[in-house]
């Protein structure tokens, strides 16, 4: 988009992080004309993220679970938890594992869906 260019849309979402891109994708899937405004260029180098298994129903809800699951991200079957205890504990996942993702690559899923 060029500086000074005008865009008309039903909805303008500010910020293309997980929240903004998900709601923009959802509104677009309902047929709204959506403009998503992000101040940084994507994809960009971004620290990795650990996504717990509780993200799976959310990915399913927005229609990208199959694609994320087949993207080749690491699927940890155990996690190390270290909050207030003196030593870390290793816990096994119950059910399907979550993901360790390259956040830049992961951020492409909602965008690529459009
Ligand atoms: C160091 C760190 C490590 C983390 N690790 C994990 C992890 O391992 N697993 C996990 O699940 N969560 C992790 N989180 C939390 C996770 O990053 C956040 O919960 C998530 O990014 C929140 O998403 P969001 O879309 O609400 O906000 P953000 O991801 O912050 O996205 C907001 C977006 O809005 C854009 N923006 C802001 N202002 C404007 C503007 N005025 N105009 C245009 N664009 C704008 C920003 O550039 C940004 O892209 C971590 C957070 C941090 C800081």
């Amino acid at each position: 988009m060029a500086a000074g260019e005008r865009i008309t849309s039903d909805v303008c979402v500010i910020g293309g992080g997980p929240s903004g891109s998900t709601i923009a994708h959802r509104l677009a899937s309902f047929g709204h004309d959506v403009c998503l405004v992000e101040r940084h260029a994507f994809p960009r180098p971004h620290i990795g993220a650990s996504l717990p298994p509780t993200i799976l129903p959310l990915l399913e809800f927005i229609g990208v679970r199959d694609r994320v699951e087949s993207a080749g991200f690491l699927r940890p079957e155990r996690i190390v938890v270290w909050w207030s205890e003196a030593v870390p504990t290793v816990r096994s996942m119950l059910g399907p594992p979550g993901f360790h993702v390259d956040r830049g690559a992961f951020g492409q899923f909602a965008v690529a869906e459009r």
Side-chain angles (χ1 to χ4, degrees):
M1 176 183 169
E5 186 180 340
R6 295 179 70 95
I7 292 179
T8 302
S9 64
D10 299 330
V11 184
C12 179
V13 177
I14 311 290
S19 308
S21 57
T22 299
I23 192 65
H25 174 270
R26 193 81 181 129
L27 289 168
S29 73
F30 290 148
H32 298 290
D33 188 21
V34 181
C35 174
L36 175 63
V37 179
E38 168 55 51
R39 67 178 161 191
H40 295 299
F42 275 42
R44 58 186 161 149
H46 205 299
I47 192 166
S50 295
L51 305 174
T54 47
I55 198 171
L56 291 167
L58 303 176
L59 296 175
E60 178 123 25
F61 186 70
I62 62 171
V64 298
R65 176 172 172 166
D66 289 346
R67 289 176 48 230
V68 172
E69 286 193 309
S70 59
F73 294 125
L74 292 174
R75 307 291 306 269
E77 295 180 347
R78 288 172 295 160
I79 56 171
V80 178
V81 180
W82 196 357
W83 294 118
S84 58
E85 305 89 353
V87 293
T89 56
V90 178
R91 295 184 191 164
S92 295
M93 297 288 186
L94 299 174
F99 306 91
H100 286 317
V101 300
D102 174 306
R103 174 79 187 272
F106 179 70
Q108 292 300 297
F109 280 94
V111 177
E113 185 72 8
R114 293 281 293 127

